[in-house]
Amino acid sequence: AFNIDPVFDYGYQTNAQGQYDFLMSVGDFIHTDGVTKIRIYDVTKDGVSMTPVLDESDYVYELFDTVVNTVSKGSGYVADEAAFKIIPAKKIHDGLSDHLGTTTIGSNVNYVDYADAEDSAPGSYTSTITIRIKAV
């Protein structure tokens, strides 16, 4: 199913004054059949594993340290960007925890597929990634 783990770049530039958190949630990979699922094993930022945090009732990733822009609107910008990799569960991860530490990979009948080509249903998979900006 995956020859290369999916990677995307994300960044921001803002001139809004205040403090902001950029929060991301990541969903399982779902096959076009709507049934077959592959767990997420890990999420990395510029090659370093990220630790999810509980925000309200969801586990999310803080994409950047809290953004603080102390200048008044229009007079200055702050910006950052990074490469994020979503690592799907592979056979070598069997028995390990998923990216949220809530499910053991390979132990749940709803998640028996792996990202390895020989251990997965062929076809397209989609993972929904949601990014939200929260004023703090």
Side-chain angles (χ1 to χ4, degrees):
F2 296 86
N3 294 323
I4 299 172
D5 295 335
V7 177
F8 67 94
D9 292 329
Y10 183 81
Y12 69 89
Q13 179 178 348
T14 182
N15 65 347
Q17 187 176 17
Q19 295 184 353
Y20 306 94
D21 282 333
F22 288 78
L23 306 174
M24 174 178 74
S25 61
V26 181
D28 296 323
F29 285 98
I30 310 294
H31 191 275
T32 53
D33 65 12
V35 176
T36 307
K37 298 178 184 179
I38 297 176
R39 297 293 299 174
I40 306 300
Y41 171 66
D42 199 8
V43 176
T44 66
K45 175 183 176 182
D46 291 334
V48 177
S49 186
M50 299 178 72
T51 301
V53 296
L54 187 61
D55 181 66
E56 298 171 13
S57 61
D58 291 327
Y59 280 96
V60 296
Y61 293 94
E62 293 177 332
L63 299 184
F64 306 99
D65 292 334
T66 298
V67 175
V68 179
N69 194 7
T70 57
V71 298
S72 61
K73 184 176 180 180
S75 62
Y77 292 90
V78 293
D80 201 354
E81 72 176 271
F84 297 91
K85 181 185 288 188
I86 310 301
I87 303 173
K90 300 175 180 74
K91 196 72 169 173
I92 59 171
H93 304 134
D94 200 23
L96 301 177
S97 294
D98 71 353
H99 69 302
L100 300 178
T102 57
T103 301
T104 301
I105 293 169
S107 68
N108 185 325
V109 295
N110 293 318
Y111 300 96
V112 295
D113 238 23
Y114 299 94
D116 309 271
E118 66 276 6
D119 295 309
S120 63
S124 297
Y125 289 79
T126 301
S127 173
T128 300
I129 295 171
T130 303
I131 298 173
R132 63 186 170 96
I133 302 168
K134 178 181 176 181
V136 291

